[in-house]
Amino acid sequence: DSRFTFIGGPCVIESERLLMETAEKVKRITEKLNINFIFKSSFDKANRSSIESFRGLGFEEGLRILEKIKKTYDIPIITDVHESWQCASVAEVVDVLQIPAFLCRQTDLLIAAAKTGRTVNIKKGQFLSPGEMKNVIYKLEEIGHRQILLTERGTSFGYNNLVVDMRSLVEMRKLGYPIVFDATHSVQRPGGLGTATGGDREFVPYLMNAAMAVGIDAIFAETHPNPEKALSDGPNMIPLHELEDILSQALEIKSVIKKKIIE
Amino acid sequence: DSRFTFIGGPCVIESERLLMETAEKVKRITEKLNINFIFKSSFDKANRSSIESFRGLGFEEGLRILEKIKKTYDIPIITDVHESWQCASVAEVVDVLQIPAFLCRQTDLLIAAAKTGRTVNIKKGQFLSPGEMKNVIYKLEEIGHRQILLTERGTSFGYNNLVVDMRSLVEMRKLGYPIVFDATHSVQRPGGLGTATGGDREFVPYLMNAAMAVGIDAIFAETHPNPEKALSDGPNMIPLHELEDILSQALEIKSVIKKKIIE
Amino acid sequence: DSRFTFIGGPCVIESERLLMETAEKVKRITEKLNINFIFKSSFDKANRSSIESFRGLGFEEGLRILEKIKKTYDIPIITDVHESWQCASVAEVVDVLQIPAFLCRQTDLLIAAAKTGRTVNIKKGQFLSPGEMKNVIYKLEEIGHRQILLTERGTSFGYNNLVVDMRSLVEMRKLGYPIVFDATHSVQRPGGLGTATGGDREFVPYLMNAAMAVGIDAIFAETHPNPEKALSDGPNMIPLHELEDILSQALEIKSVIKKKIIE
Amino acid sequence: DSRFTFIGGPCVIESERLLMETAEKVKRITEKLNINFIFKSSFDKANRSSIESFRGLGFEEGLRILEKIKKTYDIPIITDVHESWQCASVAEVVDVLQIPAFLCRQTDLLIAAAKTGRTVNIKKGQFLSPGEMKNVIYKLEEIGHRQILLTERGTSFGYNNLVVDMRSLVEMRKLGYPIVFDATHSVQRPGGLGTATGGDREFVPYLMNAAMAVGIDAIFAETHPNPEKALSDGPNMIPLHELEDILSQALEIKSVIKKKIIE
C-alpha cells in the first residue's frame, strides 16, 4: 500500500524468543503510528569483521524462526542472501530478499534473487556513487524484474568511517524505485573496534530525520531490547524502548514535506 | 532574538542596484515568514578559482554599499574578511564578520576579527572534522570573545566534490554556539568547471531541509535575481523568486522538530 | 622461490588463442627479467558494471583453457572465485585462488578457498583500511591456513575514483604475508564511463614504481596485446608490447631498495 | 642548478642555536650527497591547531636569525608567508617565499609574493585536486611571474587523515614547474592529538621513496635534532641523525629512474 514503511528487527537471529518479542513490540508500534512493517533479521552474518563473531543459528533454523514470525504476527519478512543457491529456499519463506551492500555488484546473486519473483532490496555499496545504481538495477530489469527497493547505508569516507550523502537519496529516487534509508548501518564505524565494527547510535535519529526531510519511502533500522548485549551491531542498533519516539518524530517531518518544493 | 535566522544575499557586490533590489525583496520574504534576516554580500572574493574572475567593486566602494543597505532597510550585515588589517574597518559597517572556510585556522585573522567586538561567523574548513572546531573557537574564547556562529559548508570528498556530513551539525552544536548551515556553498563542485567552481543548485532545498531536520539556528544561502548572469557562484545560488517557497518548506520542518527526540 | 613475482594476463578469458599468445609472451619477458610468473585470467567476471558486459567463456571452458596454459607453458595459474561452490573445482586446476576485493569480507568464500589447501590471494576491499585485513587473514589462520597473499588495489576516494595509499603497503606487510600491488585495477575509475569502469592507464607505471620503492613482493598487472579491443578493463590494461620496459624499470627500483632504510 | 634539491630544517624558529646547529649539519649532509640545500624554518606558525601552541620568536627576530643562517652558511632560505604585507620584508631576506596549503587560493597573497620577484613555492591545498593548481599558477603567470615551485603535501581523506595520491605528482608536473614532495607534512594526522596535529613519522621514508620513484625535483622534509622535544610538528619531523640514511636511499632510487619509461 501507499503508506510509509518501517523495516527493522534485531540484526541477527539470536534466538526465537528474542525475535518473537521484538516482532510483537515493533508490530504494535507501527500499528499505532499507522505505517507498514516489514520484519528484518539475518539468518547468517556472512561478512562479520571477525571469524569469532556470532553468525546466527544457521540457515534452516533461521528460516524456521522467520516463518514462525511471519505466521504468528501476519507480517512480511525481509532477510539478506549471500550466495545464489540461498535465494530459492529463502524466497519460500520471506517476502523481500535483501542484497548486502558489499555484494551489490555480484551479477549472479542479483539475478538469482530476481528470479524468485520476490521483491529485491539492494543496498548501495559503500564504494559506489548513487548514479552507478542504474547499472545494478538494469541487471534485474533485463530479466523483467521490477519489484525493487534501493537502500542508502552510507559511503566510504576515509578509513573506518562512513558518511551519508543526502544527495544520494535524491539521485537514487530518479531511478524510479522506492528509496529506503538504513539509519543504523549508516552510523557504523567499520573496523572501529579492532575486531568488530563500531558505531555511533547517537546519530541515528538525526540522520533519520534528515533523510525524511529529503524524501524517502521507508526507514530501515535495526532494533534490539538490549543493544549492549546484542550479538551483532550492538553499537548502532536502536534500543527497542526508544523506537516509538524516534519513528514518531521522523513521521512528523514526513507529514510536512511537500512532493515538490518549488511550484 | 530567539527567532530563526536567514543569512543571505548575492555572493559578491556586483552593483548597488543589484544589492538594493535583493535586500529589499529578501527583507519582505523574511518578514512574511517571521524570521530574522542578516544581509550577506562580499566586497571582495579573495579566493576565486581564477585570476580573471570578477572580485567585486573593491574594499571601500563595497563597504559603502553595505552601509547604505544597512541604513536603508534597517537590517544587520555580514561580510567576509581575508586579512587581519581589514577587520577594524569592516567592523565599523557590518554586524557580523565572517571567516572564510579556507582561513578558519589563521589565528591572526580570527583574533583580529574577535577584537572588533563584533559577532564572528566561522565557516568550518573543508579539510576539518567538526571536532577540530573546538580549537578554532578556543582561540577566540581565550581573548574573552564569545559572540560566535559556526557554519557548516561541506567537507572535501575526493576531488572536485564536497559532501555534507549531517553528523557535523550535531557535533558542532555541542560546542555551545549557534549553528548555521550554508546551503549554497555546500553544493559547490570545486574546480568542476575548469576555471570556475561548479555547483548543483538542484540539491540546495534538499540539503536545507535535511539540516533543518537535524536542528540548526540559521540558514545561509546565496540568492540572486538571475543566477545565470551572476558574476560569482551562479551555479549554486538560489533564484530569488524561488527563495520564499524553499525557506517556507524548511521552516515547516523546523516547526515539528523537538529539542529532544527521546524523553 | 625468493625471486620477485609478476602476476598477470588478460583480464578475462576472451579466447584460447588470446590467452596462449599472452602467456607465451609474458613468460618470455619474465624469464628474461629473471622473475617468477603466475598467469592470471578470469573465467567469469561476476561483478561487471553492466549486465551486458562480456563475462567470459563460462566456468568449464574457462578452466579447460587455464589448464591447457598451465601444461603448455609450465607456469602456475591464478584466478578469482566468487561463490563458495567454485573453490574445489577451481583448485583442481589453478595454484592460487583469488578473492575479489568486493568479497574480501565474505567468510564462507574465504574458508572455502582456504580449505582447498591452495594459496589464497586476498584483495583488500576498496572500503577497507589496511588494518582491517588483520581480521580477514585471521579467518584463514583459524583453520590453519597460512598460504596467503595480500593485494592492494586502491581505496574509495569520493565518487568514481580510487586512490592508492602507499602507507597501506607498509601496514599490510606488518601482517606477515607477501604483499602484491595491483597496478592496473588501482587506476580504475569506477562508474567513470557510464555503463563501464574507466581507467587511466597512463598512471600504471608511476604507481608501480612507487609501490616498488615502498617495498612489495609481487606486481599484479593485467596486460593485453590490444587493450583498445579488450572485452573487459581495456582502459587500464598494459599493452603487451610495453610490459617489458615497464617491469624492467620497476625492477631497477627494487634493486636499490634496502630492507631497512635506517641502520 | 640542475641537481636534486633538499628543502628542510626545523618546523619553527625555536632558537638561534637550534637553527644554526641544524643548518650546519644538514649542509654537511647535502654536500656529501651532492645535492642542493634550501634551509627552511617558519618565523611564525599562523595556523597552529591550538591558540596555546608556540608560534615562533616573532617576525623580526625570526627574519634576523634566517638572515644570519643565510650569511653564515651561504645557503638559500625558504620561509612561509601568511598575509600580503609580510611578503616584501620577507623577500629582503629569503630566496623562496612559500604559500601555505590552506592559503593557496588567496589571490592577494599569491600576487604579493610574486611581485617580490622571488621564487614562490605553492603548496597544494589539502582540499584541491592537482588539476586545480593550473588556475593557481595562472594567477602568478598573469603578472609575468614564472619562478614557481609546486609542492604536494597530501589531500584530505575522511576526517583527521591525509592521503598522498602519487598521481598528483604526475599531474602537477604537466604544469611545467619543478615538483616538490613534502614528506613530513604528508604524514600529518590533522586534529589527531586533540589540541595538536599528530603524525606518523614511520611513513616518511616510504612516501619519500615512492615520490622519488614517480619522479620529483626536490624533497621537502622537516628535521630536528630531537623531534620529541620540538615545539611544533614533532610527531612527523625526521630525527636529524636519520636524515642522511633516508635521503641517501631516496637518491639511489632517483639514480635508476628513467625520464621516459616507455621508449
Side-chain angles (χ1 to χ4, degrees):
Chain A
D1 63 59
S2 70
R3 296 182 307 167
F4 191 78
T5 297
F6 175 70
I7 304 171
C11 180
V12 62
I13 302 178
E14 298 182 14
S15 71
E16 184 179 316
R17 206 171 134 226
L18 170 79
L19 261 71
M20 296 290 278
E21 178 196 339
T22 311
E24 192 188 341
K25 289 196 176 149
V26 178
K27 194 191 177 187
R28 226 178 297 152
I29 292 169
T30 54
E31 282 172 353
K32 191 169 158 192
L33 298 174
N34 192 29
I35 57 177
N36 296 317
F37 173 35
I38 305 178
F39 182 80
K40 188 267 169 182
S41 197
S42 297
F43 58 82
D44 183 23
K45 301 304 290 179
N47 54 9
R48 295 301 301 265
S49 296
S50 162
I51 187 78
E52 289 172 341
S53 306
F54 177 74
R55 283 185 55 172
L57 298 177
F59 189 63
E60 271 148 57
E61 175 66 358
L63 286 184
R64 188 193 63 75
I65 297 177
L66 290 178
E67 190 161 25
K68 183 164 175 190
I69 285 172
K70 181 177 178 150
K71 288 185 178 157
T72 310
Y73 300 111
D74 189 28
I75 44 179
I77 305 287
I78 183 172
T79 201
D80 36 8
V81 287
H82 306 90
E83 296 208 340
S84 309
W85 63 266
Q86 301 171 333
C87 294
S89 315
V90 168
E92 281 174 32
V93 174
V94 313
D95 304 86
V96 185
L97 276 70
Q98 178 168 291
I99 308 295
F102 290 154
L103 303 182
C104 74
R105 283 277 296 271
Q106 303 308 118
T107 307
D108 290 337
L109 182 63
L110 289 163
I111 300 294
K115 281 195 172 157
T116 66
R118 294 293 192 178
T119 296
V120 180
N121 178 26
I122 311 172
K123 294 197 159 185
K124 185 177 82 59
Q126 298 89 336
F127 44 82
L128 228 62
S129 62
E132 288 171 87
M133 286 300 275
K134 191 177 177 176
N135 296 325
V136 172
I137 290 167
Y138 190 56
K139 293 179 184 183
L140 277 61
E141 291 177 337
E142 262 299 278
I143 59 161
H145 195 266
R146 288 190 153 72
Q147 302 285 95
I148 299 172
L149 306 175
L150 301 178
T151 297
E152 170 66 38
R153 51 91 77 238
T155 302
S156 290
F157 182 60
Y159 290 140
N160 308 311
N161 204 180
L162 298 171
V163 67
V164 178
D165 179 0
M166 292 289 160
R167 298 172 302 180
S168 173
L169 301 171
V170 182
E171 282 296 306
M172 287 205 291
R173 196 161 53 177
K174 292 177 187 168
L175 301 175
Y177 296 99
I179 301 301
V180 184
F181 176 62
D182 177 343
T184 48
H185 290 98
S186 290
V187 302
Q188 281 183 336
R189 293 278 192 168
L193 295 180
T195 57
T197 295
D200 289 308
R201 186 185 304 134
E202 160 194 15
F203 296 117
V204 170
Y206 296 106
L207 293 186
M208 200 188 282
N209 284 0
M212 274 301 212
V214 172
I216 50 174
D217 302 282
I219 278 173
F220 177 112
E222 292 182 340
T223 182
H224 192 283
N226 191 348
E228 309 304 334
K229 298 207 170 157
L231 301 177
S232 176
D233 271 359
N236 47 274
M237 280 196 279
I238 301 175
L240 194 42
H241 72 273
E242 295 181 0
L243 185 64
E244 183 175 340
D245 283 344
I246 291 173
L247 282 183
S248 170
Q249 167 70 91
L251 289 165
E252 282 196 70
I253 292 168
K254 184 168 178 59
S255 71
V256 299
I257 292 296
K258 289 188 192 66
K259 274 278 169 212
K260 270 182 74 74
I261 295 169
I262 304 148
E263 309 297 325
Chain B
D1 62 56
S2 71
R3 291 182 310 165
F4 192 79
T5 297
F6 175 71
I7 304 172
C11 180
V12 64
I13 302 179
E14 299 181 16
S15 72
E16 185 179 316
R17 204 169 137 230
L18 171 79
L19 261 70
M20 295 292 276
E21 177 196 340
T22 310
E24 192 188 341
K25 289 198 176 147
V26 178
K27 193 189 178 189
R28 224 177 301 151
I29 292 169
T30 52
E31 282 173 352
K32 190 168 157 194
L33 297 174
N34 192 29
I35 57 178
N36 296 318
F37 174 36
I38 306 177
F39 182 80
K40 188 266 167 180
S41 200
S42 298
F43 58 82
D44 183 22
K45 301 302 294 177
N47 55 9
R48 294 301 300 264
S49 296
S50 163
I51 187 77
E52 292 173 338
S53 306
F54 177 74
R55 283 186 54 173
L57 299 177
F59 189 63
E60 272 147 60
E61 174 66 357
L63 286 184
R64 189 194 62 75
I65 297 177
L66 290 179
E67 190 161 26
K68 183 162 175 191
I69 285 172
K70 180 175 177 151
K71 287 184 179 158
T72 311
Y73 301 110
D74 189 28
I75 44 180
I77 306 285
I78 182 173
T79 201
D80 34 8
V81 287
H82 306 90
E83 296 207 342
S84 309
W85 63 266
Q86 302 172 333
C87 295
S89 315
V90 168
E92 281 174 33
V93 175
V94 313
D95 305 87
V96 185
L97 276 69
Q98 179 167 290
I99 307 295
F102 291 154
L103 304 181
C104 74
R105 285 275 296 271
Q106 302 309 118
T107 307
D108 290 337
L109 181 63
L110 289 163
I111 300 294
K115 282 194 172 156
T116 67
R118 295 291 193 179
T119 296
V120 180
N121 178 25
I122 312 171
K123 293 197 161 187
K124 184 178 82 60
Q126 298 87 337
F127 45 82
L128 226 63
S129 62
E132 286 170 89
M133 287 299 278
K134 191 176 177 177
N135 296 325
V136 172
I137 290 167
Y138 189 57
K139 293 179 183 182
L140 277 64
E141 291 177 338
E142 262 299 279
I143 60 162
H145 195 268
R146 288 191 153 71
Q147 301 285 95
I148 299 171
L149 306 176
L150 301 178
T151 297
E152 169 66 37
R153 52 92 75 240
T155 302
S156 290
F157 181 60
Y159 291 139
N160 308 310
N161 205 179
L162 298 170
V163 67
V164 178
D165 180 0
M166 294 288 159
R167 297 172 302 181
S168 173
L169 301 171
V170 183
E171 282 296 305
M172 288 206 289
R173 195 159 54 178
K174 292 178 187 168
L175 301 174
Y177 296 99
I179 301 301
V180 185
F181 176 63
D182 178 343
T184 49
H185 290 98
S186 290
V187 302
Q188 280 182 337
R189 292 276 191 169
L193 297 179
T195 57
T197 294
D200 290 307
R201 185 187 304 135
E202 161 194 13
F203 296 117
V204 168
Y206 296 106
L207 293 185
M208 199 188 282
N209 285 0
M212 275 300 211
V214 171
I216 50 175
D217 301 284
I219 278 173
F220 177 111
E222 292 182 341
T223 182
H224 193 282
N226 190 350
E228 308 304 334
K229 297 205 171 160
L231 300 177
S232 176
D233 272 358
N236 46 272
M237 280 197 279
I238 299 176
L240 194 41
H241 71 274
E242 294 182 1
L243 184 65
E244 184 175 339
D245 283 343
I246 291 172
L247 282 182
S248 170
Q249 167 69 91
L251 290 164
E252 283 195 70
I253 292 167
K254 186 170 175 58
S255 72
V256 299
I257 291 296
K258 291 188 192 64
K259 275 276 169 214
K260 270 181 74 75
I261 295 170
I262 304 149
E263 308 298 324
Chain C
D1 63 60
S2 71
R3 295 181 307 165
F4 192 77
T5 297
F6 175 69
I7 304 173
C11 180
V12 62
I13 303 179
E14 299 182 16
S15 72
E16 185 179 315
R17 206 171 136 229
L18 171 78
L19 263 71
M20 295 290 278
E21 179 196 339
T22 311
E24 193 188 339
K25 289 195 177 149
V26 179
K27 194 190 177 188
R28 227 177 299 152
I29 293 169
T30 53
E31 281 173 352
K32 191 169 157 194
L33 298 174
N34 192 28
I35 57 177
N36 296 317
F37 174 34
I38 306 178
F39 182 79
K40 188 267 169 181
S41 199
S42 297
F43 58 80
D44 182 23
K45 301 303 291 178
N47 55 9
R48 295 302 301 266
S49 296
S50 163
I51 187 79
E52 290 171 339
S53 306
F54 177 72
R55 283 185 56 173
L57 298 176
F59 189 63
E60 272 148 57
E61 175 66 358
L63 286 184
R64 188 193 63 75
I65 297 177
L66 291 178
E67 189 161 25
K68 184 163 175 190
I69 285 172
K70 181 176 175 151
K71 288 185 178 158
T72 309
Y73 301 109
D74 189 29
I75 44 180
I77 306 286
I78 182 172
T79 202
D80 35 8
V81 287
H82 307 90
E83 297 208 340
S84 309
W85 63 266
Q86 301 171 335
C87 295
S89 314
V90 168
E92 281 174 31
V93 174
V94 313
D95 306 86
V96 186
L97 276 70
Q98 178 168 290
I99 307 294
F102 291 155
L103 303 182
C104 75
R105 284 276 297 271
Q106 304 308 118
T107 308
D108 289 338
L109 182 63
L110 289 163
I111 300 295
K115 282 194 171 157
T116 67
R118 295 291 191 178
T119 295
V120 180
N121 178 26
I122 311 172
K123 293 196 159 185
K124 183 177 83 59
Q126 299 88 337
F127 44 83
L128 227 63
S129 62
E132 287 170 88
M133 286 300 276
K134 191 177 178 177
N135 297 325
V136 172
I137 289 167
Y138 190 56
K139 293 179 185 184
L140 277 62
E141 291 177 337
E142 262 298 279
I143 59 162
H145 194 268
R146 288 190 153 75
Q147 303 284 96
I148 299 172
L149 306 175
L150 301 178
T151 298
E152 169 66 38
R153 50 92 76 237
T155 303
S156 290
F157 181 60
Y159 291 139
N160 309 311
N161 205 179
L162 297 172
V163 67
V164 178
D165 179 1
M166 293 289 159
R167 297 172 301 181
S168 173
L169 301 171
V170 183
E171 282 297 304
M172 288 205 291
R173 197 160 52 178
K174 292 177 188 167
L175 300 175
Y177 297 100
I179 301 301
V180 184
F181 176 62
D182 177 343
T184 49
H185 290 98
S186 290
V187 301
Q188 281 183 336
R189 291 279 191 169
L193 295 180
T195 55
T197 294
D200 289 309
R201 186 185 305 133
E202 162 194 15
F203 296 117
V204 169
Y206 297 106
L207 293 185
M208 200 189 281
N209 285 359
M212 275 302 213
V214 172
I216 50 174
D217 302 283
I219 278 174
F220 177 113
E222 292 182 340
T223 183
H224 192 282
N226 191 348
E228 307 306 333
K229 297 206 170 158
L231 300 177
S232 176
D233 271 0
N236 47 274
M237 279 196 280
I238 300 176
L240 194 42
H241 71 275
E242 295 181 0
L243 185 64
E244 184 175 339
D245 282 343
I246 292 173
L247 282 183
S248 171
Q249 168 70 91
L251 290 166
E252 282 196 70
I253 293 168
K254 185 167 176 60
S255 71
V256 300
I257 292 296
K258 290 188 193 66
K259 274 278 168 212
K260 271 181 75 75
I261 295 169
I262 305 148
E263 309 298 325
Chain D
D1 64 57
S2 71
R3 291 183 310 166
F4 192 78
T5 297
F6 175 70
I7 303 172
C11 180
V12 64
I13 303 178
E14 298 181 17
S15 73
E16 185 180 316
R17 204 170 138 232
L18 171 78
L19 262 70
M20 296 291 275
E21 176 196 340
T22 310
E24 192 188 341
K25 289 197 177 149
V26 178
K27 192 189 178 189
R28 223 178 301 150
I29 292 169
T30 52
E31 283 172 352
K32 190 168 157 195
L33 298 174
N34 192 30
I35 57 177
N36 296 318
F37 173 35
I38 306 177
F39 182 79
K40 188 265 169 181
S41 199
S42 298
F43 58 81
D44 182 22
K45 301 301 295 177
N47 54 10
R48 295 301 301 263
S49 296
S50 164
I51 187 78
E52 292 173 339
S53 306
F54 177 74
R55 281 186 54 172
L57 298 178
F59 189 63
E60 273 147 57
E61 174 66 357
L63 286 184
R64 188 193 62 75
I65 297 178
L66 290 178
E67 190 161 25
K68 183 162 176 192
I69 285 173
K70 181 176 177 151
K71 288 184 179 158
T72 312
Y73 301 112
D74 188 29
I75 44 179
I77 306 285
I78 182 171
T79 201
D80 36 7
V81 287
H82 306 90
E83 296 207 340
S84 310
W85 62 266
Q86 302 172 335
C87 295
S89 316
V90 168
E92 282 172 32
V93 174
V94 314
D95 306 85
V96 186
L97 276 70
Q98 179 167 291
I99 308 295
F102 291 156
L103 304 181
C104 73
R105 284 275 297 270
Q106 303 309 118
T107 307
D108 290 339
L109 182 63
L110 289 163
I111 301 295
K115 281 192 172 157
T116 66
R118 294 291 193 180
T119 296
V120 180
N121 178 25
I122 312 171
K123 293 197 161 187
K124 185 179 81 62
Q126 299 86 337
F127 44 82
L128 227 63
S129 62
E132 287 170 89
M133 287 300 276
K134 190 177 178 176
N135 296 324
V136 172
I137 290 167
Y138 190 57
K139 293 179 184 182
L140 277 64
E141 292 177 337
E142 262 299 279
I143 60 163
H145 195 268
R146 288 191 153 73
Q147 301 286 95
I148 300 172
L149 306 176
L150 302 178
T151 297
E152 168 66 38
R153 51 90 77 240
T155 303
S156 290
F157 182 60
Y159 291 139
N160 308 312
N161 203 182
L162 299 170
V163 67
V164 178
D165 179 1
M166 294 288 159
R167 297 172 303 181
S168 173
L169 301 171
V170 183
E171 282 296 305
M172 288 206 290
R173 195 161 53 178
K174 292 177 188 167
L175 301 173
Y177 297 99
I179 301 303
V180 184
F181 176 62
D182 177 342
T184 48
H185 290 99
S186 290
V187 302
Q188 280 182 337
R189 292 278 192 169
L193 295 180
T195 57
T197 294
D200 289 309
R201 185 185 305 134
E202 161 195 13
F203 296 117
V204 169
Y206 295 106
L207 294 185
M208 198 187 283
N209 284 0
M212 275 299 212
V214 171
I216 50 174
D217 303 284
I219 278 173
F220 177 111
E222 291 182 340
T223 182
H224 193 282
N226 191 348
E228 308 305 333
K229 297 205 171 160
L231 300 177
S232 177
D233 272 358
N236 46 273
M237 279 197 279
I238 300 176
L240 194 43
H241 71 274
E242 295 182 0
L243 185 64
E244 183 176 338
D245 283 342
I246 291 173
L247 282 182
S248 171
Q249 166 70 88
L251 289 164
E252 282 197 68
I253 293 168
K254 186 169 176 57
S255 71
V256 300
I257 292 296
K258 291 188 193 62
K259 274 277 167 214
K260 270 181 75 74
I261 295 170
I262 304 149
E263 308 298 325

